[in-house]
Amino acid sequence: MNPVRVEFIRDRVLRVRHDEEDPQAVDFVGLNALDIGCGGGLLSESLARLGANTLAIDASETNIQVAKAHAARDPAFNSQDSLLRRELTYRCTTSHELVEEGQSFDLVCSLEVLEHVDNPADFLKSCAALVKPGGHLVLSTIARTPLSYFLTIFMAENVLRMVTPGTHSFSKYVNAPELLEFFRSQVPWLPRTSSEPPSNLAELRGMIYNPLSGTWGLLPRGAPLALECNYILWLRKPVS
């Protein structure tokens, strides 16, 4: 799933950089990025390879050690040459603790985390608080629909055993309209004037797994059932 998520993030961030900063920008050099709930660190490494000064956090010390061990195998994160070395730091901490520290970032990502937290509103507010004005927030999660239950719990957990049974709780899944409404009311980044947010402020895309190729892909905008299972959301924090 990581390649398709990175493609989406890179496209959205560079589109803004091209419009407002540097039309020739090809990477994330000069940006500070945060990966919340980094797990094994695949996204964190990708953000760092794109040039972002990346902080990856997880509440599990075990996950942090696994992520560090994985990054240690890549010369890009251990080079003595400052021109080649990519900046990637791991910490066992939470988004709330970073908020208390007063930290902020140009890009905040939290992928496949929301569906596991007990208080999603509180968690989302902490994520939003860590984004600098004009910065980017990227979230991915799973919709609460019959299709998502069939694919992610019945098939993936109970039948195919691709995921450990009990990993997901259907009641914690969040539908895309609910997430958009949260960013209209609780964290008012989006206008309430239309059901579809302006493309310069937010973009929603569905993600689908192809079992024949073993790869993930982005579904076309507006495709039928696109937001009925896995989806990813990019948001831009207002400058003021």
Side-chain angles (χ1 to χ4, degrees), residues 17-65:
R17 299 198 85 180
H18 292 164
D19 291 343
E20 301 180 5
E21 300 173 20
D22 179 5
Q24 305 302 318
V26 296
D27 54 30
F28 289 3
V29 170
L31 298 183
N32 292 320
L34 172 67
D35 182 12
I36 301 173
C38 65
L42 296 182
L43 175 67
S44 314
E45 292 180 15
S46 297
L47 296 176
R49 290 191 189 98
L50 283 169
N53 182 13
T54 303
L55 173 62
I57 67 171
D58 201 288
S60 166
E61 180 64 37
T62 299
N63 285 348
I64 291 296
Q65 294 306 319

Side-chain angles (χ1 to χ4, degrees), residues 5-13 28 43 107 109 138:
R5 301 184 307 185
V6 173
E7 174 191 356
F8 176 83
I9 295 168
R10 182 179 183 275
D11 175 73
R12 288 309 318 170
V13 172
F28 289 3
L43 175 67
L107 169 63
C109 301
V138 182

